[in-house]
Amino acid sequence: MLSIRNLHAAVDGKEILKGIDLEIKPGEVHAIMGPNGSGKSTLSAVLAGNEAYEVTEGDILLDGENLLEKETEERARDGIFLAFQYPVEIPGVSNLQFLRTAVNAMRVHRGLDELSAVDFMKLAKETTKQVDLDPAFLKRGVNEGFSGGEKKRNEILQALLLEPRLAILDETDSGLDIDALKVVADGVNALRSPERAILMVTHYQRLLNHIVPDFVHVLAGGRIVKSGGRELALELEERGYGWLGIKDSDEVEAG
Amino acid sequence: MKTAPTLSSAFLEAAAGKLPAPLQALRAQRGKALADMPLPTRKTENWKYSSRYLKLTDELAASLPSGRNSGPGLAVDGYHVVIHNGVLVPEASDFPDVDGIEIRSFVDLDDDTAQHLADRLDNTLDNNAVQMARLNTARFEDGLYIRLRQDAVLDRPLFVIFEADAEAAGSVYPRIYVDAGANSQMTLVEEYISTGDQTALVDAVTEFSLADGANVTNVRLSLEGENIHHIGATGARLLGHARLDSHCVGFGGPLRRHDLQVRLEAPGANCRLNGVAVTQDKQHFDNHTTIEHVAPHCDSEETYRNIAADESHAIFNGRIHIHKDAQKSNANMSNKNLLLSTGAEIDTKPELEIYADDVKCAHGATVGQLDETALFYLVSRGIDRREANTLLSMAFINELIEQIPVEAVRETVQARLNRFIEQAFEGA
Ligand SMILES: Nc1ncnc2c1ncn2[C@@H]1O[C@H](COP(=O)(O)OP(=O)(O)OP(=O)(O)O)[C@@H](O)[C@H]1O
Ligand SMILES: [Mg+2]
């Protein structure tokens, strides 16, 4: 489904990703772990098409098509979804209006009729329940004044509504209390299907207890330095990153 | 030395029509005083950015012919009065029948009432700052006199629809005077619209006199077409604990100027002034506001937002004048601007004059662009880029639109703003 080949990316002329190779097949769950500043969010942003990051080398193919040639909105319509590490607050745009506009954009792209305000409201209310958010959150500005955990649940809410093919979750587990972690994990598990792949960025093994990954990768200094099965996460939890020849705080060297 | 241009005499030759004698006399007197009025130029401080849009050619001098029976034009939700080219059209209007409330056409006033009115017209406006309002007083052919007796409450909003019908070139001088008695209440929605496609000038003046405890909401919508040059002034004087809640929404044009002057003259008087102006192509919009804190213990809250696209030009000038005796004044002014293109121009200027020492006065002005991070967030959900831009631009002004307390207006305005902004992003 997704092939990343020798991906290099830079921001403000500073190289952050230094040759990433990754294959993701439908139905698979991949976890990416790694020290702060190693490039995990950069990889997520590049996949979603954030223009602040410049791809300097390599390819990304989605079902054989060159993803890098597509605008962010086209990628989204082709099924790429990024749950942001720091979801953006947009006062003045109601969450409901935002969600409905997004869902209808997706539906039109898929050849379906737009949902009426009433039908969408019904769907949105059901889905807020699924992520344990009060429907009152639909009326508020997008993420406006949401707590950290509420923002993360709002991201999962969007994933559930938009039904992506590849969901990239950038630290959707961080800042969650134990109950919220369970809610988010249930949401992600509800997304799992044979046609859909999930790429999870996380620092913690505890999420992986709820959402069992097929593969775990360690990203350090802009490269994947090790890949393995779920047992790799346990090992990392126990031993840290040191045994891989990197320090816990290993960052891409300053440019 | 080159002499400054003065108002062409063609503007001062119009007949007084059917106005009662005291108003005719007032008109004639103003006309005389205007005979050698210098027109604003680039050097005129309060027209610095806008004089280049002011084109008072002789073809605009003639009054537009009036009196056609047109409908209310826009969706209204309340009482309505239709004023066609400056003259009231009773057949198209729906007047309230409420105790203590009189709404009369200037031409129908008896001489005593007309004299009472003539003594008060222009009293709310600083005539030196609002040169063009004087032309209105020299030229109006009719007007609306609204009088609320003490404690009178108008139960539904009154819509006044000013239609400039520009079948031929010319000018029109809409006028309203609201005399709100103690503790009276009303909502006045002014809608300026146009038909026809010839060049025309609309010079409109609305005045409010609010007695103790009066509470008036004023919505002013500037919706005229590309052929209309609009110069408007709104003046208000507020006595003790009176409140003015003003909402001005304007779409750009070849010349759009609105002066809003509010005087807080007795303790407890307070006002909220909200304004939104949007411009695109080569359009212009200029809002000049003045709040005079004359008495102590008065509050003013002012929020204006502009969105300028393409090569358009938006101006905001907000003056707050806190007089020597106006202790414990509380004044807040904010002006935020959104530039949608590098070719657009925004000029914003707060002017604070504070002569009292125990006051709270805050002001802020910003000019910015759409937030790229927010845009990325929206498009990453599959939302079309143009729609995302529109959503974000609307978000910038929605907070103010949502405060308009008349639902029908809110909806109309939201839909129009949305269309306007979508257009601004077309081909961008
Ligand atoms: N817009 C930017 N401008 C400058 N530097 C940036 C920018 N974005 C990312 N970086 C730098 O790139 C490096 C990788 O950042 P990234 O956010 O991808 O790390 P991460 O692995 O997600 O870290 P964390 O675990 O802390 O979320 C960091 O050193 C960061 O400071
Ligand atoms: Mg990160």
Side-chain angles (χ1 to χ4, degrees):
Chain A
M1 172 197 262
L2 186 79
S3 313
I4 303 177
R5 294 181 194 155
N6 189 31
L7 181 69
H8 290 248
V11 60
D12 291 338
K14 175 177 142 191
E15 188 168 55
I16 295 170
L17 300 183
K18 299 175 177 172
I20 305 252
D21 290 280
L22 190 62
E23 285 290 327
I24 299 178
K25 297 200 175 65
E28 291 178 352
V29 175
H30 291 245
I32 294 194
M33 305 182 80
N36 292 133
S38 57
K40 304 182 297 297
S41 292
T42 302
L43 174 62
S44 309
V46 168
L47 287 170
N50 189 334
E51 283 163 13
Y53 301 86
E54 191 199 347
V55 173
T56 50
E57 214 183 316
D59 293 307
I60 307 175
L61 302 178
L62 181 67
D63 299 325
E65 282 185 56
N66 186 351
L67 196 68
L68 293 174
E69 278 175 2
K70 298 189 177 188
E71 300 282 351
T72 300
E73 55 271 35
E74 297 174 272
R75 298 184 194 193
R77 290 175 205 148
D78 286 347
I80 300 247
F81 176 88
L82 168 62
F84 284 54
Q85 181 174 5
Y86 304 108
V88 184
E89 297 200 14
I90 313 180
V93 178
S94 84
N95 211 15
L96 185 70
Q97 187 183 18
F98 160 61
L99 295 169
R100 188 173 158 218
T101 309
V103 165
N104 280 335
M106 235 42 128
R107 288 181 66 92
V108 168
H109 180 75
R110 290 168 188 164
L112 301 167
D113 286 340
E114 294 193 7
L115 287 179
S116 70
V118 175
D119 288 342
F120 181 75
M121 192 65 187
K122 221 175 118 215
L123 173 68
K125 275 189 174 159
E126 281 166 16
T127 319
T128 47
K129 258 182 231 143
Q130 199 180 340
V131 295
D132 200 28
L133 272 181
D134 191 292
F137 280 91
L138 295 171
K139 293 216 184 90
R140 286 169 60 175
V142 175
N143 294 317
E144 188 182 1
F146 289 21
S147 76
E150 288 159 357
K151 282 180 182 161
K152 299 293 167 111
R153 277 180 278 163
N154 203 36
E155 295 293 287
I156 297 300
L157 170 70
Q158 292 166 47
L160 290 167
L161 286 170
L162 296 176
E163 305 180 322
R165 299 196 50 227
L166 171 67
I168 305 159
L169 312 175
D170 190 358
E171 295 201 28
T172 304
D173 56 330
S174 59
L176 296 179
D177 65 37
I178 296 159
D179 292 340
L181 183 71
K182 179 88 174 47
V183 167
V184 163
D186 287 348
V188 176
N189 282 324
L191 278 174
R192 287 187 84 156
S193 85
E195 302 85 48
R196 193 172 280 150
I198 294 169
L199 179 63
M200 290 188 299
V201 173
T202 182
H203 287 291
Y204 306 106
Q205 154 63 25
R206 59 173 193 170
L207 178 71
L208 306 181
N209 289 335
H210 295 282
I211 311 163
V212 179
D214 302 300
F215 302 95
V216 175
H217 311 277
V218 179
L219 185 62
R223 291 187 185 90
I224 291 179
V225 295
K226 187 156 183 71
S227 296
R230 60 175 302 206
E231 63 291 342
L232 176 57
L234 291 167
E235 200 166 354
L236 290 170
E237 178 102 328
E238 221 165 274
R239 302 175 59 187
Y241 293 113
W243 61 282
L244 289 170
I246 48 177
K247 294 188 289 297
D248 260 11
S249 60
D250 198 13
E251 297 192 9
V252 281
E253 60 263 35
Chain B
M1 199 180 95
K2 230 171 73 182
T3 49
T6 54
L7 188 65
S8 157
S9 59
F11 275 91
L12 301 168
E13 283 158 7
K18 292 174 273 182
L19 286 165
L23 291 172
Q24 293 209 22
L26 176 71
R27 264 185 52 138
Q29 187 197 330
R30 286 288 190 280
K32 228 181 267 158
L34 279 181
D36 44 21
M37 179 184 92
L39 288 174
T41 65
R42 212 158 39 85
K43 299 212 173 89
T44 314
E45 188 53 34
N46 61 341
W47 276 85
K48 190 161 107 190
Y49 299 111
S50 293
S51 60
R52 65 178 124 134
Y53 301 93
L54 183 66
K55 294 185 182 106
L56 297 177
T57 54
D58 278 2
E59 65 161 359
L60 297 182
S63 293
L64 290 174
S66 58
R68 189 167 60 78
N69 177 359
S70 55
L74 271 186
V76 297
D77 182 18
Y79 305 110
H80 56 267
V81 175
V82 174
I83 310 233
H84 177 260
N85 281 346
V87 172
L88 197 148
V89 187
E91 317 85 89
S93 303
D94 168 24
F95 290 92
D97 179 10
V98 175
D99 272 356
I101 297 180
E102 275 173 70
I103 297 177
R104 313 256 300 273
S105 171
F106 283 6
V107 296
D108 292 338
L109 297 177
D110 58 62
D111 276 4
D112 284 352
T113 315
Q115 186 60 54
H116 175 89
L117 178 62
D119 291 342
R120 283 163 181 74
L121 286 179
D122 289 346
N123 283 355
T124 66
L125 292 164
D126 171 358
N127 283 324
N128 288 325
V130 197
Q131 302 94 329
M132 298 306 295
R134 287 194 279 173
L135 178 61
N136 175 290
T137 313
R139 287 291 303 269
F140 63 72
E141 285 167 31
D142 197 356
L144 206 58
Y145 177 52
I146 301 173
R147 182 158 188 195
L148 290 87
R149 305 271 167 180
Q150 180 168 343
D151 299 324
V153 175
L154 189 62
D155 56 336
R156 293 198 295 153
L158 173 68
F159 286 72
V160 181
I161 292 106
F162 289 103
E163 182 186 344
D165 182 359
E167 292 292 333
S171 50
V172 53
Y173 303 87
R175 186 81 186 213
I176 302 182
Y177 189 87
V178 177
D179 187 357
N183 300 319
S184 62
Q185 290 180 29
M186 83 169 298
T187 295
L188 174 67
V189 181
E190 295 168 64
E191 295 183 340
Y192 294 89
I193 60 173
S194 68
T195 50
D197 59 4
Q198 299 300 301
T199 308
L201 168 71
V202 175
D203 179 5
V205 176
T206 298
E207 293 183 87
F208 297 94
S209 166
L210 273 58
D212 289 337
N215 187 337
V216 169
T217 297
N218 179 216
V219 182
R220 188 182 201 278
L221 306 180
S222 194
L223 309 171
E224 292 146 328
E226 287 298 321
N227 51 323
I228 305 293
H229 296 240
H230 183 110
I231 300 172
T234 301
R237 294 173 74 153
L238 279 68
L239 294 185
H241 298 281
R243 172 169 176 82
L244 175 71
D245 189 13
S246 160
H247 304 262
C248 295
V249 180
F251 294 79
L255 168 77
R256 293 281 187 274
R257 167 68 178 244
H258 184 233
D259 282 84
L260 173 56
Q261 303 194 334
V262 180
R263 289 176 64 84
L264 307 172
E265 298 188 332
N270 64 94
C271 65
R272 171 173 73 174
L273 312 181
N274 283 350
V276 169
V278 292
T279 52
Q280 64 184 348
D281 301 327
K282 291 184 184 304
Q283 291 175 345
H284 164 259
F285 209 108
D286 179 351
N287 274 303
H288 264 65
T289 68
T290 302
I291 303 171
E292 299 277 353
H293 278 262
V294 181
H297 295 282
C298 292
D299 294 343
S300 64
E301 181 81 45
E302 178 171 17
T303 316
Y304 268 68
R305 303 239 165 121
N306 295 315
I307 301 182
D310 306 325
E311 289 153 55
S312 64
H313 189 182
I315 297 134
F316 172 78
N317 191 106
R319 177 164 180 261
I320 297 177
H321 179 188
I322 301 188
H323 294 233
K324 181 162 63 61
D325 296 329
Q327 301 296 354
K328 306 282 180 198
S329 289
N330 205 341
N332 268 309
M333 175 168 66
S334 144
N335 172 233
K336 290 190 188 162
N337 297 283
L338 182 59
L339 269 177
L340 297 185
S341 107
T342 47
E345 179 178 346
I346 286 177
D347 295 290
T348 171
K349 185 167 154 215
E351 273 182 63
L352 306 181
E353 275 179 61
I354 302 174
Y355 299 103
D357 44 30
D358 185 12
V359 302
K360 277 195 198 134
C361 185
H363 69 95
T366 59
V367 179
Q369 280 144 23
L370 285 180
D371 178 3
E372 286 295 327
T373 321
L375 183 65
F376 176 63
Y377 191 70
L378 295 179
V379 295
S380 80
R381 278 18 178 175
I383 295 175
D384 183 72
R385 208 160 278 260
R386 203 173 99 200
E387 198 165 359
N389 278 318
T390 304
L391 277 172
L392 291 175
S393 304
M394 283 300 290
F396 181 75
I397 48 181
N398 243 339
E399 184 194 328
L400 294 181
I401 302 303
E402 273 161 12
Q403 289 172 23
I404 297 175
V406 185
E407 194 185 345
V409 173
R410 226 169 26 236
E411 284 171 4
T412 310
V413 163
Q414 245 153 2
R416 279 185 181 240
L417 284 169
N418 213 73
R419 232 179 302 141
F420 186 95
I421 289 168
E422 246 169 28
Q423 254 172 40
F425 284 110
E426 233 155 62

